[in-house]
Amino acid sequence: MQESPGGHHPTVKIGKLGPSLCEEISSDPCAIVIFGASGDLTKRKLLPALFCLFRNKLLSKGFFILGLARTDISEESFRTDMEKAVKKAGNFDHVAWEEFGKRLHYFPTDYSEGSLRKAREYMDDKALTHSTGRNRILYLSTPPSVYSSIIESIASSGLASEDGGWTRIVIEKPYGRDLESARALEKTVEKHFREEQVFRIDHYLGKDTVQNIMMFRFANSIFEPIWNRHFIDHVQITASESLGIEKRAGYYEEAGVLRDMFQNHMLQVLSFVGMEPPSVYKSEMVRDERVKVFRALRPLDRESLRDNLVLGQYVEGEVNGKSARGYREEDGVNRRSAVSTFAAMKLFIDNWRWQGVPFYLRSGKRLKSRFTQVTIQFRAVPHQMFSGIFEEEIGPNAVIIRIQPDERIQLKFHAKNPGSRMCLRDVVMDFGYTEGYEGLVLDAYERVLMDCMIGDKMLFIRSDAMEMSWEWLSPALDYSEERGQGAPELCLYRAGSYGPVEAERFIGRDGRKWVNYER
Ligand code: BG6
């Protein structure tokens, strides 16, 4: 008998790691100007990431951070706030903070042209103190609704100019809320910056394990020959979150899961799985290949969406042993909100490699556990020669790329049980991404900040990719927002479940099952 496919799988450990082949990195001196420095992102991600880079000597000696925000506080209290935030994030170090704290500056501003002119004078003065020269990164971490007006003030106050150094602008997601608004923002950006100066962030691209999809595929010769329609039955990409919307009701009510996760993170992961190998590992070439995947996405229309999109919203339940409110009961959410917090979707990439291979994408909030993974499910054996011996059919092989947490790559296959009886069991060949590695591992924000400082754009979204992803998703956004007769059903699911049963039925109709997190 075969062991049940859902049961515990014996694991085959990967042996000792070989020597690493690494590229050297070093960054230019520069000023990092954070717009919206009193906000949550600065505290939770940006400052802890910059401190970690500093501690690990990955920043140039010439650097300083200038926080800009409307809040009228002194430089001293800004430093104290940031120290608390970095402590909260963990890995604090007093000695390193002494040095780092000296490079933290603050300037209150209403982002008008006049006020940014003064901020610029302040920055020029600090550039002399810290010998950063004229290089600067302008990091927009404000509410997106003010991006355009801030960019206009940046330009008119002279902050965008490149006088004797480089100026780069980093733009956080959401980049617009639909194709039209994204294009409008793009117009403002293009008016004042060249494309090489613009760094559109999708922090999923900074995740090591997302980048590793490329290494796994193209630095090995054994996977690529079978990475296509001849051998692959289907692909699943899941980003499952156990958290709810936290304190972001205002944003989430406007966004919903399709804007929040699909337009960016899910499609970016898809591009790594689906891309062709570039001839050289260089930013623009890699980005060209990823864009080609978007170009080849089969267009969505209302009819196909009826069958290929499931939308859901969580109701009260229990997550990790704690009771959890339903979405409509969350603070700041409309009690009758029809916003989806879960979506499952089937799509196709119309090209030679992928013709006919379904890609199932699924993401939701308040699900059973937090995991992001890609499953490549191979075709079943062409002929069941063991059918007279085993009662069940032999299931397919799979490669599972776990992006987070517990980052690993697993190859699932079948083997004979030791002993005289003919028994098959499912086994897993398992590679733990950081096991056996003692060097520094950068998190997503550390990586993207580092890349921005060294000017490497590989892990940022190019303007054409950004537009294409909005364009492709637009019919799904329109459809998901239809109300009244003919509108899509909003399938309710309990907080702490794997999502609505309709999502199980949806993939089940194709004779397939979702692959969930398994240790
Ligand atoms: C953000 C979304 O971009 O990504 C959040 O706005 C989501 O809603 C988050 O929770 C997920 O990121 P991560 O790195 O925790 O998977």
Side-chain angles (χ1 to χ4, degrees), residues 221-462:
S221 61
I222 54 177
F223 304 112
E224 213 38 35
I226 53 170
W227 206 267
N228 56 51
R229 62 189 294 272
H230 300 294
F231 297 89
I232 293 177
D233 175 74
H234 75 278
V235 177
Q236 295 183 21
I237 302 177
T238 298
S240 160
E241 297 191 79
S242 54
L243 285 180
I245 51 161
E246 303 293 283
K247 293 189 179 121
R248 298 194 304 155
Y251 155 75
Y252 205 86
E253 279 277 273
E254 286 293 307
V257 67
L258 291 178
R259 286 190 177 83
D260 189 46
M261 293 295 290
F262 279 67
Q263 185 271 334
N264 34 65
H265 311 326
M266 301 294 276
L267 287 184
Q268 290 304 328
V269 175
L270 174 82
S271 72
F272 280 102
V273 177
M275 70 190 274
E276 296 301 318
S279 56
V280 186
Y281 186 65
K282 283 213 163 125
S283 261
E284 288 319 308
M285 295 199 158
V286 170
R287 300 208 298 175
D288 284 346
E289 295 306 332
R290 297 208 325 258
V291 165
K292 284 186 203 161
V293 175
F294 295 152
R295 241 179 238 142
L297 286 174
R298 186 175 300 171
L300 301 172
D301 61 53
R302 207 171 172 286
E303 274 327 294
S304 66
L305 284 164
R306 284 209 159 283
D307 294 329
N308 294 323
L309 177 66
V310 175
L311 298 167
Q313 189 188 74
Y314 61 87
V315 294
E316 190 186 355
E318 197 174 283
V319 183
N320 298 327
K322 285 199 189 135
S323 65
R325 288 188 282 186
Y327 178 68
R328 291 179 193 173
E329 283 84 55
E330 301 274 21
D331 297 336
V333 169
N334 183 330
R335 297 290 167 255
R336 295 155 68 99
S337 174
V339 165
S340 24
T341 58
F342 174 98
M345 159 181 245
K346 177 161 83 171
L347 58 88
F348 290 91
I349 300 175
D350 282 335
N351 61 18
W352 275 62
R353 184 189 284 267
W354 294 115
Q355 191 51 239
V357 177
F359 283 74
Y360 297 93
L361 271 50
R362 171 178 64 147
S363 179
K365 295 235 177 249
R366 278 284 187 238
L367 296 176
K368 191 174 174 62
S369 54
R370 173 178 182 254
F371 71 95
T372 303
Q373 74 184 17
V374 177
T375 302
I376 311 289
Q377 183 102 47
F378 292 93
R379 286 177 186 272
V381 288
H383 167 60
Q384 298 275 347
M385 68 177 244
F386 297 110
S387 58
I389 305 175
F390 306 120
E391 283 170 20
E392 291 173 40
E393 282 198 355
I394 297 175
N397 302 131
V399 168
I400 296 183
I401 303 174
R402 173 97 38 75
I403 288 166
Q404 62 186 20
D406 180 26
E407 295 81 358
R408 27 198 0 105
I409 296 179
Q410 300 180 322
L411 173 62
K412 291 190 162 195
F413 58 100
H414 311 286
K416 183 186 167 302
N417 259 348
S420 56
R421 289 183 58 218
M422 272 301 284
C423 292
L424 263 194
R425 56 183 177 155
D426 293 348
V427 292
V428 179
M429 201 178 265
D430 183 41
F431 160 66
Y433 189 66
T434 52
E435 281 163 24
Y437 174 76
E438 278 156 20
L440 176 70
V441 180
L442 293 184
D443 91 355
Y445 270 94
E446 289 153 11
R447 178 76 214 202
V448 289
L449 281 164
M450 185 74 214
D451 282 357
C452 183
M453 280 181 261
I454 59 181
D456 184 344
K457 301 199 64 184
M458 188 179 296
L459 303 178
F460 294 84
I461 317 270
R462 204 165 63 188

